[in-house]
């Protein structure tokens, strides 16, 4: 349709650009704190802005893809992951959008991605975010290790609020 975003990469000849650095110069890590640490992951056309709590927002050129409100807790936090048990218990795998007590959290920002770790009494989880070179999208990987009694029955839940428009246009819509 006219005006629709094009998600397929057009072959374009671009001048020489330096390769991504594979060094620890951009490595930052820590535990969640009151003053958030922020990180920008991009391949030139696709960008993800994220914080140490896991809140994030994605853009494809000038189009916002996910909604995130960084000013309040329990607000939309971009792409969020949860572990839901068969009894209906919901465990957030990052601090955002709902900081729930009961687990230890840490984060790690690298030059080409980000990682959030959650350690709970019955499981550990690692969420990794990467924006692949030459792609118009983001790659999320979830690694969960169950340490509770018996076999785990449940599901991994991924939640996001799509925007699919410039943020100004989205916010102006009634």
């Amino acid at each position: 349709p006219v005006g629709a975003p094009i998600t397929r990469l057009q072959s374009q000849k671009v001048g020489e650009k330096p390769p991504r650095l594979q060094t620890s110069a951009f490595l930052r890590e820590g535990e969640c704190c009151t003053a958030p640490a922020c990180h920008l992951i991009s391949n030139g056309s696709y960008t993800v802005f994220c914080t140490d709590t896991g809140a994030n927002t994605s853009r494809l050129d000038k189009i916002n893809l996910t909604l995130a409100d960084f000013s309040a807790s329990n607000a939309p936090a971009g792409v969020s992951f949860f572990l839901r048990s068969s009894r209906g218990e919901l465990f957030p795998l990052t601090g955002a959008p709902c900081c729930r007590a009961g687990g230890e959290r840490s984060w790690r920002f690298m030059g080409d991605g980000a990682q959030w770790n959650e350690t709970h009494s019955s499981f550990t989880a690692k969420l990794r975010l990467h924006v692949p070179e030459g792609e118009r999208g983001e790659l999320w990987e979830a690694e969960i290790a169950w340490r509770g009694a018996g076999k785990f029955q449940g599901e991994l839940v991924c939640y996001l609020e799509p925007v699919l428009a410039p943020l100004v246009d989205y916010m102006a819509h009634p």
Side-chain angles (χ1 to χ4, degrees):
V2 176
I6 298 173
T7 57
R8 202 172 336 158
L9 278 177
Q10 305 293 327
S11 61
Q12 300 173 7
K13 291 292 180 190
V14 179
E16 288 293 316
K17 68 176 186 174
R20 283 189 178 178
L21 293 177
Q22 301 298 327
T23 177
S24 61
F26 296 109
L27 178 65
R28 295 184 297 151
E29 56 190 346
E31 297 180 7
C32 294
C33 56
T34 55
C38 302
H39 192 56
L40 189 66
I41 309 166
S42 180
N43 64 9
S45 64
Y46 194 91
T47 304
V48 181
F49 175 78
C50 55
T51 69
D52 57 351
T53 62
N56 59 83
T57 185
S58 305
R59 286 183 62 157
L60 174 61
D61 296 323
K62 295 180 181 180
I63 298 171
N64 282 62
L65 301 174
T66 57
L67 182 63
D69 180 358
F70 298 103
S71 64
S73 60
N74 293 326
V79 179
S80 303
F81 288 88
F82 302 87
L83 188 63
R84 182 175 22 220
S85 70
S86 59
R87 296 179 303 215
E89 249 183 319
L90 197 64
F91 300 97
L93 299 186
T94 58
C98 44
C99 291
R100 176 180 169 170
E104 293 180 28
R105 292 185 180 91
S106 63
W107 54 272
R108 181 181 175 125
F109 294 153
M110 296 81 64
D112 65 344
Q115 177 176 310
W116 296 269
N117 304 309
E118 169 86 16
T119 303
H120 197 270
S121 61
S122 55
F123 71 90
T124 59
K126 285 184 186 178
L127 282 177
R128 287 184 287 274
L129 169 62
H130 178 68
V131 176
E133 195 71 38
E135 296 289 332
R136 288 189 164 188
E138 58 200 76
L139 175 64
W140 285 89
E141 296 176 281
E143 181 182 315
I144 300 171
W146 181 250
R147 300 185 311 178
K151 186 177 178 180
F152 175 76
Q153 289 187 348
E155 61 186 345
L156 179 65
V157 178
C158 177
Y159 174 81
L160 63 100
E161 287 190 44
V163 175
L164 305 178
L167 190 58
V168 174
D169 294 348
Y170 180 82
M171 299 308 274
H173 193 272

